[in-house]
Amino acid sequence: MKILIPGLTMTIPLTVIAFSIAMVIAVITALIQYANVPILKQLARFYIWVIRGTPLLVQLYVVFFGLPSIGFRVAAFPSAVAVFAVNEGAYCAETMRAAIESVPAGQLEAGFCVGMNYPQIMMRIVLPQAFRTAFPPLFNSLIGMVKDTSLAANITVAEMFFATQRIAGRTYQFMALYLELAFIYLMFSTVLTRVQAYGEKRLNSYGGNKS
Amino acid sequence: MSVLEIRNLHKGFGSLVVLDGVDLSVEKGDVVTILGPSGSGKTTLLRCINFLETADSGTMIFDETSYDLARMTRADKSRIRMRTGFVFQNYNLFRNKTALQNVTEGLIVARKMEKKKADEIGMRMLAKVGMAERADYYPSQLSGGQQQRVAIARALASDPEIIYFDEPTSALDPELISEVLAVMRNLAEEGMTMIVVTHEMGFAKNVSSKSIFMEGGKIVEQGPSKEFFTNPRMERTREFLRMEEDRETASSLNAGKNS
Ligand SMILES: Nc1ncnc2c1ncn2[C@@H]1O[C@H](COP(=O)(O)OP(=O)(O)OP(=O)(O)O)[C@@H](O)[C@H]1O
Ligand SMILES: [Mg+2]
């Protein structure tokens, strides 16, 4: 119980908030690349290059320990939210970009032919189809992120792993506690996997991705 | 009065010249078929006059206004597209929308029509192409012929001045072709103005009022369909028509063998 509570009050909110922000970043970054917006596109590529090319743990350290040393102090939880959002955003941006590119050009052209403009077609035709394609890989990212939040313990966020370490330090029941912790992560993942399966079934029931 | 006039349309891709000075005039109620061998520029012609490709040069006269096809503003494109329809070879129905939503999407989003009114029009258009019972089906749940009929309903929804068809039956299994041709024939009889790129000689000969033969990005011959088919003037046209005839005979023989 002492482990589960920080799971509910820290791990889950951290995941939900950071992943939501990550999705916004991902969609915007993917659209900028798809629409070939000059300058912004180069920025997007740069962002993805840097984030994917450096370890998550290092990114956490840069923000939480690095920034205060040059005068920007950010509390642990918001630091973790920011790093996870920016990190996950870069990976999901690539997923979204691939999904958007997989929507046939004919969908866009058909939209133009009925008089719709580019933003209307993106919002109503292309993005909904891209989300359907991207749904499984995005969900995999989400499940991965739940587990990655344990890294936030390194910057003193009192999530599950952090709490377990504290208790283990007092009681020395390492095996029992870490197994319990692993089990709780497993339960979180299991629930999400179920949700994913249900979501995929719902999406397929209205037409799937057959052309 | 002509609905649409195209003057001296040029289009190339890189060094490849695809349209080499095409002139075209379509009167109200005309059904114009465009024939020609593969690669002659038929699709490109339709795409240029609906701005899916930008022409290198050329003039379009639509609704008594003259436009430079190489320099269309976004607003002009959108305004003209709302008054024309386009039917693609591979239907291009919106895959995340039902048959009815496919038809109403342009009305609701581009023309800001009230949903109730759009649905009413949508159902009327679906009924017209014999697809009213399938209004709530998604494209993936429809056969090719059914999808193409929905696509025609979508093109009809905006009450267009003219509809462009790019080989509307070419992607269809032989047994589904006739249901789409029947819909198009009905439209022709109702006086809809259409430009149809097709290899269906029967449609060209019996339904269309005017036929055009294109080759190498140029119009080789055009005329009223009756004359065009009974008495083509150019040797190249005669040769092409003979070849198409052979092709149709061969495919009908094949069909006979399979059944
Ligand atoms: N986007 C493009 N980029 C480069 N070349 C193109 C492009 N679109 C068409 N072409 C070329 O232009 C020429 C004319 O093509 P188009 O599709 O207009 O012919 P078509 O008459 O419709 O032929 P088909 O009967 O096979 O449909 C072809 O040589 C084609 O390869
Ligand atoms: Mg073509």
Side-chain angles (χ1 to χ4, degrees):
Chain A
M1 270 329 256
K2 288 220 179 73
I3 302 176
L4 187 58
I5 288 167
L8 297 177
T9 60
M10 279 292 183
T11 302
I12 291 179
L14 176 56
T15 307
V16 170
I17 300 172
F19 197 78
S20 308
I21 300 172
M23 284 312 302
V24 175
I25 296 175
V27 171
I28 293 172
T29 310
L31 281 176
I32 284 171
Q33 294 180 78
Y34 181 76
N36 233 327
V37 189
I39 303 172
L40 286 183
K41 180 178 172 158
Q42 275 77 44
L43 276 177
R45 291 313 307 171
F46 180 76
Y47 155 64
I48 291 167
W49 174 63
V50 169
I51 297 299
R52 294 206 308 177
T54 55
L56 177 53
L57 191 53
V58 174
Q59 293 164 11
L60 283 167
Y61 272 57
V62 166
V63 170
F64 187 69
F65 298 112
L67 287 185
S69 71
I70 55 166
F72 299 98
R73 183 166 302 280
V74 191
F77 188 79
S79 297
V81 167
V83 171
F84 280 107
V86 168
N87 183 278
E88 202 63 33
Y91 287 92
C92 293
E94 289 295 89
T95 306
M96 274 316 291
R97 185 172 64 91
I100 293 173
E101 281 169 359
S102 78
V103 176
Q107 296 288 305
L108 199 68
E109 293 181 348
F112 283 129
C113 284
V114 298
M116 290 160 80
N117 62 31
Y118 189 84
Q120 290 168 337
I121 299 169
M122 288 316 281
M123 291 309 292
R124 301 183 55 99
I125 309 295
V126 176
L127 277 181
Q129 292 182 33
F131 267 117
R132 192 184 305 174
T133 309
F135 183 79
L138 288 179
F139 226 93
N140 285 343
S141 298
L142 174 62
I143 292 172
M145 188 168 164
V146 173
K147 293 172 289 175
D148 285 348
T149 55
S150 59
L151 289 174
N154 289 288
I155 60 164
T156 75
V157 176
E159 47 67 68
M160 292 201 290
F161 184 52
F162 187 86
T164 311
Q165 283 177 316
R166 279 286 171 86
I167 302 166
R170 275 199 319 266
T171 62
Y172 299 103
Q173 296 180 316
F174 297 108
M175 196 61 183
L177 283 167
Y178 286 121
L179 277 181
E180 187 185 336
L181 174 65
F183 180 76
I184 294 173
Y185 277 115
L186 185 60
M187 286 302 102
F188 282 5
S189 301
T190 307
V191 170
L192 285 175
T193 307
R194 286 285 162 77
V195 174
Q196 176 178 1
Y198 174 77
E200 283 179 28
K201 219 169 94 195
R202 282 294 302 271
L203 289 174
N204 284 336
S205 73
Y206 75 94
N209 255 331
K210 281 194 298 166
S211 60
Chain B
M1 193 197 78
S2 64
V3 175
L4 172 76
E5 231 179 290
I6 301 294
R7 288 196 195 135
N8 206 15
L9 173 54
H10 285 263
K11 172 69 181 174
F13 293 106
S15 61
L16 178 72
V17 177
V18 176
L19 295 176
D20 194 10
V22 173
D23 297 291
L24 187 65
S25 167
V26 184
E27 307 291 316
K28 196 159 178 48
D30 261 353
V31 177
V32 179
T33 47
I34 301 180
L35 309 168
S38 183
S40 54
K42 308 180 296 293
T43 296
T44 307
L45 172 61
L46 288 190
R47 288 173 63 85
C48 282
I49 57 186
N50 211 19
F51 328 119
L52 292 174
E53 302 285 356
T54 306
D56 297 335
S57 66
T59 307
M60 168 186 238
I61 299 164
F62 183 83
D63 198 21
E64 291 167 39
T65 313
S66 176
Y67 301 90
D68 178 354
L69 279 169
R71 278 182 210 79
M72 297 293 297
T73 65
R74 223 176 276 178
D76 282 342
K77 285 185 196 176
S78 167
R79 207 163 34 74
I80 294 173
R81 279 167 171 160
M82 278 188 231
R83 302 181 53 205
T84 62
F86 199 102
V87 176
F88 296 87
Q89 182 170 354
N90 55 352
Y91 340 125
N92 283 342
L93 290 182
F94 304 130
R95 298 188 302 187
N96 59 327
K97 305 273 170 189
T98 63
L100 179 61
Q101 289 168 340
N102 262 279
V103 180
T104 58
E105 186 72 7
L107 299 177
I108 295 171
V109 180
R111 307 185 141 213
K112 315 275 179 243
M113 191 183 280
E114 227 178 279
K115 183 172 179 305
K116 195 159 154 276
K117 195 170 162 222
D119 282 349
E120 207 179 285
I121 294 174
M123 285 311 296
R124 214 167 58 231
M125 294 306 144
L126 285 177
K128 207 169 176 151
V129 300
M131 287 296 296
E133 291 94 78
R134 301 289 159 98
D136 296 327
Y137 283 50
Y138 285 91
S140 62
Q141 300 167 315
L142 300 172
S143 75
Q146 292 172 330
Q147 289 189 59
Q148 194 60 297
R149 285 188 281 150
V150 173
I152 294 174
R154 176 172 71 181
L156 283 170
S158 60
D159 190 21
E161 303 286 322
I162 182 167
I163 303 183
Y164 311 119
F165 293 80
D166 186 15
E167 304 207 31
T169 59
S170 293
L172 296 175
D173 292 336
E175 68 272 20
L176 301 178
I177 290 177
S178 58
E179 67 186 52
V180 172
L181 288 180
V183 167
M184 292 170 60
R185 183 189 287 261
N186 279 343
L187 290 183
E189 277 161 10
E190 285 174 15
M192 176 60 72
T193 313
M194 320 196 261
I195 300 181
V196 186
V197 172
T198 187
H199 287 285
E200 292 294 329
M201 291 299 136
F203 182 87
K205 209 183 309 187
N206 303 320
V207 181
S208 77
S209 53
K210 187 173 160 191
S211 294
I212 292 178
F213 174 60
M214 263 182 87
E215 185 162 50
K218 286 195 165 97
I219 290 181
V220 175
E221 175 163 1
Q222 58 179 314
S225 294
K226 278 218 184 63
E227 267 175 61
F228 183 92
F229 279 94
T230 50
N231 196 14
R233 278 168 290 138
M234 309 297 286
E235 178 50 33
R236 234 348 244 140
T237 316
R238 279 195 283 267
E239 210 175 306
F240 176 78
L241 291 178
R242 256 198 316 275
M243 261 163 46
E244 287 292 309
E245 219 170 89
D246 290 349
R247 198 180 51 82
E248 289 202 336
T249 319
S251 71
S252 67
L253 280 180
N254 267 336
K257 233 185 300 176
N258 292 340
S259 64

